[in-house]
Amino acid sequence: MRHRLLFIFLLLLGALGGCEAVEDTLDIEFTINKNNTFNIDTTQGAYAYDVDLNTDSDYQRYKSHIKDVKIDYIRYSITANTGTGGKADFYATVYGGDQAGATKVAETITFAAFEHRGVTDVVWLNKAYLEGLLLSGKMRFWAVVEGAGVRLTLPVEIKVRVTANPLE
């Protein structure tokens, strides 16, 4: 009898442990690309972009079953530059937050007067902080620029990978 109970216990334990694996096979993964073009004409300034994943139909469909949000990359380019050189930094904060409370989330971009740049991946990225913000589905993203007479067009793409599971 004792062996039979042990066998049933081990069988039950194996079945329960396998449920998570079965549940994981039902994960749904999709990507959301958020794009914004910062048009900068200033000596020093901060430009905000509200990232709202709720505008995506897949996100809406699985919103209550989101398991994970990951940043695949942030890319930028300089498509127009008629001003002087300078630098730009990217910051992020909670949705609707101000720049004073934002955290730097990417490497500093430096550029020369009249320099153009093709699509470039941001090398250093504070993914953990960005992903934490995006678990709520929203964040505010900032481009903060310094330089005398900076006038440039700075398109930015944020690629987000979302994992959802209808059983969660």
Side-chain angles (χ1 to χ4, degrees):
M1 179 69 169
R2 199 168 91 174
H3 287 11
R4 180 179 248 176
L5 286 174
L6 180 60
F7 176 74
I8 291 171
F9 174 74
L10 291 175
L11 187 63
L12 185 60
L13 186 63
L16 290 176
C19 287
E20 185 176 321
V22 170
E23 185 177 304
D24 287 347
T25 63
L26 297 176
D27 283 355
I28 297 161
E29 191 172 280
F30 55 94
T31 58
I32 301 172
N33 289 320
K34 302 305 282 184
N35 299 288
N36 186 63
T37 299
F38 293 101
N39 293 303
I40 298 163
D41 186 3
T42 187
T43 300
Q44 182 173 1
Y47 298 81
Y49 168 54
D50 289 328
V51 177
D52 186 354
L53 302 181
N54 291 288
T55 61
D56 181 83
S57 62
D58 285 332
Y59 189 86
Q60 277 295 318
R61 184 176 313 127
Y62 299 109
K63 184 177 180 175
S64 61
H65 304 288
I66 302 296
K67 284 178 59 174
D68 199 18
V69 176
K70 295 287 185 194
I71 299 287
D72 278 350
Y73 60 76
I74 295 180
R75 292 181 176 154
Y76 72 94
S77 56
I78 300 174
T79 58
N81 183 355
T82 60
T84 61
K87 68 177 188 171
D89 288 297
F90 294 128
Y91 289 78
T93 189
V94 295
Y95 187 77
D98 63 10
Q99 195 270 324
T103 298
K104 184 175 176 179
V105 293
E107 68 181 316
T108 299
I109 301 166
T110 57
F111 50 89
F114 305 105
E115 177 185 356
H116 289 73
R117 194 171 299 167
V119 176
T120 305
D121 283 338
V122 174
V123 178
W124 173 80
L125 191 58
N126 188 343
K127 286 186 176 186
Y129 180 73
L130 290 166
E131 291 163 356
L133 290 173
L134 283 176
L135 280 175
S136 72
K138 299 178 178 182
M139 74 173 176
R140 180 163 280 175
F141 190 76
W142 294 87
V144 179
V145 180
E146 293 181 37
V150 172
R151 284 184 297 284
L152 55 90
T153 303
L154 186 69
V156 174
E157 177 187 5
I158 303 170
K159 184 175 180 183
V160 180
R161 186 172 15 98
V162 180
T163 305
N165 190 305
L167 297 180
E168 288 193 12

